Amino acid sequence: MNSKIKELIDITKTKFGLDNYYLKRHGLNRYVNIFNETVYTLSMEWFPDHVQEPEDDSNPEGTAVIEVNVYSHKFVSAIFVMDKTYANNGISFAGLHTNDIIKWMEQETGLTYGRQLKLHKEEEGRLLFKEVIDGVSVSPAGSVEIEFDAEGKLTFFAVHGQFPSKEIIKEETYTLSFDKIEHLAKEQLKLIEFPSHEQKRLIPTYGVEEVYITNDQMTAIPFEFIVDVRSYINIDRTIFLDKNKTIKKPFKRQEISWTEEVTAEQAFSSEPSPDSCPITKKEQEKCLLAVKDFLLQKYPNGSGSWILKMLYRDRGYIHAILRAKKQVNYVFQRKLIVIIDANSFRSINYVDNKPMLDIFDQFQASDEATIDKEEAYKKLKELYELKPYYVYDFEEKQYVLCGKLDCQYGVNASSGKVIALNDL
């Protein structure tokens, strides 16, 4: 066993009080964060000594599943299966107040409460912290979660997110107000058919399509691009198929391997993951050809009806995200993910959300809209929310101050009634 791996295993055993456990499995993992940095972690599965091992390769009750960053030695997660721990002199919060647990969390993560984290939810035996930058919410959002049993023993600990250094934060004074961006607020109000699964019908509703607006009021960052937390190349190109080209061979899905063999040499030499390599112009063109060939095989009548929105790498593959150019008014839009082999530049698999959208075709058609957008806007204007957010700009490679424009309410376009969208 590599000496550095052994050191991490020994640190883990001592820190979490795993004298009554044995190391069943361990392995190295790597991923690329939104800053395009390769992060290596060691994952471990510790089985309790006295618990019988299941025959189906599952983890028995009390198993400690622990992951640690190989560079910083900071723990990413520690999860005791089914909230049961047999740790001896491990981490315990018995008799501690919330402030004491926060101090432990700061020491454990290296993060500062108030500046980088705020307490989002406090329940019996559970604390959930959300990422902030000097008290301002962040997108994509990080979090820290801590859970403990009735005796105060740690049963769950997980750190998610990037938590950037000050060097990549563009600090400025928040100056946005609703009056300044009212024209955008109107633009974001859309007539959408919300599916009511309870009523098995579509409800025509004016709702706000949430968006981030930069502090200078010049740029709108679509919410969907932030949700997918990875570095991507924006393409935004309509796909036209070659009328003279046909591919008679049917498209055959190939199995995708999401597991990656990572060696100790790669981890401790900080070898960059292939996923961190930029997608060159030449590779972008090869991906475009692969997408066109795929469409010729699966959607031959779709010339001009798809937009290639973006490309990104993931574990040896390149994902191409396509949106239908003509969208229906459903709350969920038609989307295709084409998975391309990064070596051969051939499409090998895909995900189409059409089957999910087809479910809505079975719903009762929506009633006719009786009010227009202007009237709906007047009803919702006072219910809009504009909150400051630091948003990671993938093109600028820094966090920029924005306002998140959103609304928790909509207007039923047939009745004119204001409704909470969560109730639909």
Side-chain angles (χ1 to χ4, degrees):
M1 182 187 289
N2 179 281
S3 60
K4 290 183 178 179
I5 290 178
K6 187 178 185 306
E7 181 188 359
L8 287 170
I9 289 170
D10 291 342
I11 290 171
T12 303
K13 184 171 185 176
T14 302
K15 183 181 189 67
F16 291 94
L18 303 177
D19 293 337
N20 301 325
Y21 285 75
Y22 65 97
L23 184 62
K24 175 65 177 177
R25 287 183 282 265
H26 71 282
L28 290 163
N29 309 302
R30 69 178 172 190
Y31 68 91
V32 177
N33 64 19
I34 62 173
F35 312 135
N36 218 33
E37 301 165 340
T38 303
V39 179
Y40 284 90
T41 63
L42 174 68
S43 61
M44 295 160 276
E45 293 172 33
W46 297 80
F47 280 22
D49 287 333
H50 66 284
V51 175
Q52 189 172 352
E53 191 176 323
E55 295 179 3
D56 60 358
D57 283 339
S58 64
N59 290 332
E61 182 183 69
T63 297
V65 182
I66 299 174
E67 189 171 11
V68 61
N69 185 305
V70 301
Y71 309 143
S72 64
H73 290 197
K74 291 193 181 301
F75 287 88
V76 179
S77 61
I79 301 162
F80 289 85
V81 173
M82 297 179 72
D83 298 324
K84 181 67 177 176
T85 175
Y86 298 104
N88 183 26
N89 294 323
I91 295 168
S92 177
F93 304 118
L96 296 184
H97 297 293
T98 300
N99 287 342
D100 297 316
I101 300 174
I102 288 172
K103 286 176 184 175
W104 174 87
M105 180 270 297
E106 287 185 316
Q107 290 177 336
E108 190 60 40
T109 63
L111 302 171
T112 305
Y113 183 71
R115 191 172 68 80
Q116 293 171 290
L117 286 167
K118 67 177 179 181
L119 184 57
H120 178 71
K121 194 176 287 186
E122 184 173 9
E123 300 167 340
E124 188 175 350
R126 179 175 180 257
L127 296 176
L128 176 62
F129 301 89
K130 283 289 183 76
E131 180 184 3
V132 293
I133 293 176
D134 292 328
V136 176
S137 297
V138 181
S139 184
S143 65
V144 176
E145 188 171 356
I146 300 168
E147 294 180 18
F148 44 92
D149 63 17
E151 296 176 12
K153 292 183 176 181
L154 181 76
T155 57
F156 185 96
F157 170 70
V159 182
H160 298 288
Q162 322 301 328
F163 301 99
S165 60
K166 277 193 169 288
E167 289 72 37
I168 58 170
I169 300 170
K170 185 181 178 184
E171 295 188 55
E172 51 186 315
T173 304
Y174 184 71
T175 57
L176 282 183
S177 66
F178 189 80
D179 291 342
K180 290 179 180 178
I181 54 93
E182 188 170 357
H183 62 293
L184 287 170
K186 284 183 179 178
E187 282 178 23
Q188 293 304 116
L189 187 63
K190 308 286 170 72
L191 180 58
I192 301 165
E193 293 183 330
F194 275 83
S196 171
H197 291 275
E198 191 177 301
Q199 301 176 39
K200 294 288 186 226
R201 62 192 293 263
L202 298 168
I203 301 174
T205 306
Y206 284 101
V208 176
E209 190 175 355
E210 55 196 337
V211 69
Y212 294 104
I213 300 165
T214 52
N215 197 40
D216 58 12
Q217 307 157 51
M218 299 295 289
T219 313
I221 303 175
F223 186 75
E224 66 167 332
F225 283 10
I226 302 302
V227 173
D228 198 3
V229 191
R230 65 182 72 249
S231 181
Y232 62 84
I233 296 287
N234 195 30
I235 305 293
D236 230 4
R237 184 165 164 181
T238 302
I239 306 294
F240 295 99
L241 305 181
D242 186 347
K243 294 178 182 177
N244 300 317
K245 185 177 182 180
T246 56
I247 302 175
K248 293 182 179 179
K249 188 179 178 183
F251 183 84
K252 188 177 179 182
R253 276 189 166 110
Q254 296 177 34
E255 192 174 338
I256 294 172
S257 173
W258 295 118
T259 57
E260 185 182 27
E261 288 293 327
V262 178
T263 67
E265 185 181 358
Q266 289 172 317
F268 294 106
S269 66
S270 304
E271 179 185 298
S273 166
D275 287 352
S276 67
C277 298
I279 302 173
T280 65
K281 286 285 186 185
K282 190 174 181 180
E283 288 174 326
Q284 290 173 40
E285 289 303 317
K286 287 181 179 180
C287 288
L288 182 62
L289 289 173
V291 168
K292 285 182 175 181
D293 284 350
F294 165 79
L295 291 175
L296 278 169
Q297 289 174 291
K298 289 296 297 183
Y299 306 89
N301 299 320
S303 184
S305 62
W306 293 99
I307 300 172
L308 176 57
K309 298 295 290 184
M310 66 173 88
L311 298 169
Y312 64 81
R313 294 187 188 274
D314 188 17
R315 301 183 211 187
Y317 303 100
I318 296 176
H319 291 226
I321 307 297
L322 285 80
R323 292 274 184 185
K325 194 164 188 177
K326 184 181 179 183
Q327 294 285 5
V328 292
N329 286 338
Y330 294 160
V331 65
F332 301 107
Q333 298 295 316
R334 183 74 188 280
K335 180 180 177 181
L336 262 181
I337 303 173
V338 181
I339 301 169
I340 301 165
D341 185 286
N343 294 314
S344 66
F345 286 94
R346 288 186 181 142
S347 302
I348 60 168
N349 213 317
Y350 70 101
V351 179
D352 187 347
N353 72 344
K354 187 175 184 295
M356 181 187 74
L357 298 179
D358 286 345
I359 295 171
F360 303 144
D361 291 338
Q362 300 164 23
F363 283 26
Q364 183 183 328
S366 62
D367 298 329
E368 191 174 334
T370 60
I371 68 168
D372 60 18
K373 184 176 177 177
E374 191 65 35
E375 190 177 345
Y377 177 73
K378 288 176 183 176
K379 289 175 180 280
L380 290 177
K381 182 178 176 181
E382 300 303 320
L383 297 170
Y384 272 80
E385 296 175 357
L386 183 65
K387 296 179 180 178
Y389 264 79
Y390 272 103
V391 178
Y392 186 68
D393 188 319
F394 285 89
E395 293 183 11
E396 297 291 329
K397 307 294 183 193
Q398 63 179 350
Y399 284 82
V400 295
L401 189 58
C402 295
K404 182 184 178 183
L405 183 70
D406 195 11
C407 187
Q408 306 299 318
Y409 297 87
V411 175
N412 185 313
S414 59
S415 69
K417 184 181 176 183
V418 175
I419 49 177
L421 296 178
N422 284 340
D423 293 341
L424 290 174

